[in-house]
Amino acid sequence: MDIVVLAGGLSTERDVSFVTGSMVAKALRENGHRVILLDVFMGYGEEEQSIDGLFDRSLEVSLTVDHVPEQAPDLEKVKASRKDQSDCFFGPNVIALCRQADIVFMALHGENGENGKIQAAFDLFGIKYTGTDYLSSAIAMNKEMAKSFFIANQIPTPHGISMRRENRQDDLGKLPVQLPCIVKPCCGGSSIGVTIVRDEKEFKAALDEGFRWEDELLIEEFIQGREFSVGVMEGKALPIIEIAPIEGFYDYKNKYKAGSAVETCPAVLPKEVTERMQHYAEQVAKVIGLTTYSRIDFLTNENNDIFCLEANTLPGMTPTSLLPQEAAVVGIDFNELCQKIIDLSLKKYSK
């Protein structure tokens, strides 16, 4: 098949997306496909042009990527570096290339990748893509909205409130939140802009940091305990993986720097807790409408009470990513996983 692996974009997870895309592209080539790794924002070339025959020289056309920097990208610099300086999100020739492909592997993370906008555009253009649809993507991306789905379906989740920039309240005493708490962007990912607040003096700085990235924040009770993630493929939960950072919490650096966290799969948990967490993961995918594959994040406290944090519609596929580790436990290697995602995604177009 001719496949475009779409990465990059303008989210804070731009650099992570490139590494996901690079690994996926390599795997799909090894599986016998002709693959172009493409930056959705930069596109191919400096202007719209004939793209006939590009899949014949896919390696020459593709991006090359080596690692994830420890800091989030400067998106203003990224915008300034685009040669055509168009106000269109899609770079030159992106839509035309994606229309030529048999399917687009969505290796995007964060805004305009996981929020459903690109999926909706592709639906209108008749472009086939991997992963879930635009509506479920949009619901999962907004942590406040996803939390309302959890609550409505008796899926336990930390107590929290949202705060918009125009209604900012720096006085923690006037909010229905107790310390310690977590302040995080409502639609962000990779723990960018996330702060653990342990006293009132830290709250204002946490809001400042959060509002650097978005206009809406989520403020949740802090759950002291263990962190887990559960992949879901075609509605069925994979083995649970536990993530234990060596230092601090599971922030941007610890997620993408090899050796920064100890990851154990299958997680060591009582059988009853394992089954309950996997059940909740499957329920999250069902109630939000997530198809093909997803990854659901959880915490447990000292009593093994379970708290659902969020759903990820395009889980990372980097060297340290969680979903590939979970799939490996049930005998699915990385190349097989990439192919399985393609095959499952194509099913929705054959109905």
Side-chain angles (χ1 to χ4, degrees), residues 222-234:
F222 174 68
I223 307 296
Q224 182 69 53
R226 300 162 67 187
E227 185 160 354
F228 303 90
S229 196
V230 186
V232 179
M233 297 198 71
E234 224 176 1

Side-chain angles (χ1 to χ4, degrees), residues 69-342:
E70 291 188 4
Q71 301 296 323
D74 184 332
L75 297 179
E76 292 306 313
K77 285 185 178 180
V78 173
K79 292 177 185 178
S81 68
R82 181 159 141 177
K83 292 181 180 178
D84 71 350
Q85 287 296 292
S86 169
D87 60 359
C88 179
F89 174 77
F90 294 105
N93 304 298
V94 167
I95 295 298
L97 263 170
C98 291
R99 283 177 60 82
Q100 278 197 6
D102 294 303
I103 193 168
V104 175
F105 195 109
M106 300 288 278
L108 296 157
H109 301 312
E111 185 180 6
N112 291 331
E114 292 189 81
N115 64 7
K117 291 183 179 180
I118 292 177
Q119 287 85 349
F122 280 2
D123 286 343
L124 295 177
F125 279 114
I127 295 169
K128 297 175 182 177
Y129 55 88
T130 58
T132 196
D133 67 7
Y134 74 94
L135 181 58
S136 53
S137 297
I139 293 169
M141 186 68 180
N142 186 301
K143 294 181 178 67
E144 180 192 14
M145 186 173 292
K147 183 181 283 289
S148 69
F149 275 69
F150 302 161
I151 294 169
N153 290 276
Q154 293 77 53
I155 298 166
T157 187
H159 170 71
I161 62 169
S162 63
M163 180 187 293
R164 296 196 62 84
R165 187 187 300 273
E166 60 266 28
N167 298 319
R168 175 169 174 161
Q169 173 56 261
D170 290 1
D171 187 349
L172 195 58
K174 295 181 179 180
L175 298 171
V177 178
Q178 294 183 337
L179 292 175
C181 66
I182 292 271
V183 176
K184 57 187 176 183
C186 194
C187 297
S190 291
S191 298
I192 294 171
V194 176
T195 305
I196 300 174
V197 178
R198 300 187 185 277
D199 63 57
E200 291 189 21
K201 295 178 182 177
E202 298 173 341
F203 188 62
K204 182 180 182 302
L207 295 183
D208 290 342
E209 174 62 17
F211 283 128
R212 278 182 59 205
W213 305 99
E214 284 183 27
D215 291 330
E216 185 173 6
L217 305 180
L218 194 62
I219 305 168
E220 291 183 327
E221 64 174 316
F222 174 68
I223 307 296
Q224 182 69 53
R226 300 162 67 187
E227 185 160 354
F228 303 90
S229 196
V230 186
V232 179
M233 297 198 71
E234 224 176 1
K236 184 67 176 175
L238 291 170
I240 300 170
I241 189 167
E242 179 174 6
I243 312 101
I246 294 173
E247 293 182 6
F249 73 104
Y250 199 42
D251 60 6
Y252 187 89
K253 178 180 177 181
N254 284 331
K255 285 183 177 179
Y256 303 114
K257 183 178 179 181
S260 295
V262 177
E263 294 159 355
T264 306
C265 188
V268 180
L269 284 166
K271 181 182 178 182
E272 183 272 332
V273 177
T274 295
E275 291 176 348
R276 190 151 41 97
M277 190 180 296
Q278 289 178 315
H279 170 72
Y280 285 143
E282 293 171 358
Q283 283 295 104
V284 168
K286 181 179 179 180
V287 302
I288 295 181
L290 304 176
T291 60
T292 312
Y293 73 121
S294 56
R295 200 194 76 231
I296 319 301
D297 296 339
F298 294 92
L299 290 172
T300 61
N301 62 15
E302 60 184 6
N303 298 320
N304 276 334
D305 297 320
I306 298 171
F307 299 87
C308 183
L309 296 179
E310 62 181 87
N312 302 272
T313 56
L314 294 176
M317 303 279 276
T318 73
T320 56
S321 291
L322 306 177
L323 185 74
Q325 294 185 61
E326 296 177 54
V329 170
V330 293
I332 303 172
D333 68 26
F334 189 80
N335 286 26
E336 290 176 295
L337 178 60
C338 293
Q339 187 63 50
K340 189 174 180 67
I341 289 170
I342 291 280

